[in-house]
Amino acid sequence: NNTIANASSAVFRKGDYYNIMEEAKRYRLAGDWYTYMGILRLGKISYCKQSLNYHRMQEKSVTLTTNAHKEFDEIVSLQNFAMNVDSLVCRDIMLSIIVPVYNTEKYLAKCLDSIIQALEKVEIKTEVLVINDGSTDNSKIVIEKYKNEHPQLIAAYDKPNGGLSDVKNFGLDHAKGEFISFIDSDDFVDPEMFYDMMNGIMNSSAD
């Protein structure tokens, strides 16, 4: 995003930037978009219109150009959006992924690896709730291993067996996210799945 690249032309408080970056690291977020939106929401950012550079952009293999005045107008529009709208990227936990587990020891690692990989492409705060529904195999050991390796992302729960509906309701009761995704523990997800889903939500202002 070329408008966001103009953060190099901005003046803002160092402490604000530090806090935003610490939050980004904590929740495994990255990229100019998250940082830029976080700064904009604080309302402590300024631009010199004359300092904004021309940018070259690619769209469908065609090179486009934009000018400083257009960049400035886009920045003003984006700042208004960031300060007046409860932006998805700046909320607490936006997406909760619930993984019910019952005797899926053989498949669970592949499932969790695929979720972790897919979430690397998503710049929102997420949580993964892995719920052991009274498994009699070594699923609990696998869950604990991943919880210890990813303590900021994965929350592990252990409960008596109650069946699929019961464990999903348990997950809903403990989820903190605005949006919910259920993933079967004997399945795995496409690397682009959550990126495509959340982009669709943000671009369409979905409920």
Side-chain angles (χ1 to χ4, degrees):
N1 186 305
N2 289 286
T3 301
I4 293 169
N6 269 311
S8 60
S9 304
V11 178
F12 47 85
R13 296 180 187 275
K14 182 173 70 174
D16 292 337
Y17 181 80
Y18 174 80
N19 292 336
I20 291 168
M21 291 305 296
E22 285 298 304
E23 185 177 54
K25 288 191 291 184
R26 178 182 177 189
Y27 290 100
R28 303 170 60 253
L29 301 168
D32 289 340
W33 174 257
Y34 180 81
T35 304
Y36 191 80
M37 291 298 288
I39 293 171
L40 286 178
R41 283 171 60 84
L42 295 174
K44 301 173 183 176
I45 190 168
S46 62
Y47 282 88
C48 175
K49 183 183 296 187
Q50 288 74 19
S51 74
L52 300 179
N53 299 320
Y54 286 83
H55 284 87
R56 303 179 70 209
M57 300 180 290
Q58 290 286 335
E59 181 176 309
K60 297 181 180 178
S61 300
V62 177
T63 300
L64 308 174
T65 60
T66 185
N67 58 52
H69 294 284
K70 182 178 179 182
E71 290 283 349
F72 187 79
D73 290 342
E74 290 178 355
I75 288 165
V76 171
S77 176
L78 186 58
Q79 182 161 17
N80 288 336
F81 167 80
M83 295 179 67
N84 296 319
V85 178
D86 191 9
S87 174
L88 293 178
V89 296
C90 295
R91 298 186 62 169
D92 289 332
I93 294 176
M94 274 308 303
L95 175 63
S96 294
I97 300 166
I98 299 173
V99 184
V101 177
Y102 181 72
N103 289 351
T104 52
E105 171 192 355
K106 294 180 180 180
Y107 316 102
L108 186 54
K110 183 175 182 178
C111 173
L112 297 178
D113 284 339
S114 72
I115 292 172
I116 293 167
Q117 179 185 6
L119 288 177
E120 291 176 355
K121 301 178 181 292
V122 180
E123 295 187 357
I124 58 171
K125 299 176 188 176
T126 58
E127 64 175 357
V128 181
L129 287 70
V130 188
I131 307 165
N132 182 31
D133 191 35
S135 296
T136 57
D137 62 0
N138 291 320
S139 293
K140 183 176 180 179
I141 296 174
V142 178
I143 295 170
E144 288 299 321
K145 173 180 178 291
Y146 276 82
K147 176 188 174 183
N148 292 334
E149 291 176 352
H150 306 276
Q152 298 294 340
L153 176 65
I154 293 179
Y157 296 91
D158 190 56
K159 60 178 289 296
N161 180 259
L164 187 57
S165 296
D166 181 72
V167 72
K168 285 185 174 182
N169 287 332
F170 181 94
L172 289 172
D173 288 340
H174 290 79
K176 301 174 184 176
E178 179 73 12
F179 297 94
I180 304 293
S181 176
F182 291 106
I183 305 297
D184 293 337
S185 58
D186 59 352
D187 203 353
F188 60 92
V189 303
D190 184 89
E192 305 292 331
M193 174 177 169
F194 299 120
Y195 176 84
D196 290 341
M197 288 170 55
M198 297 311 297
N199 267 2
I201 288 171
M202 287 188 280
N203 290 337
S204 64
S205 300
D207 294 330

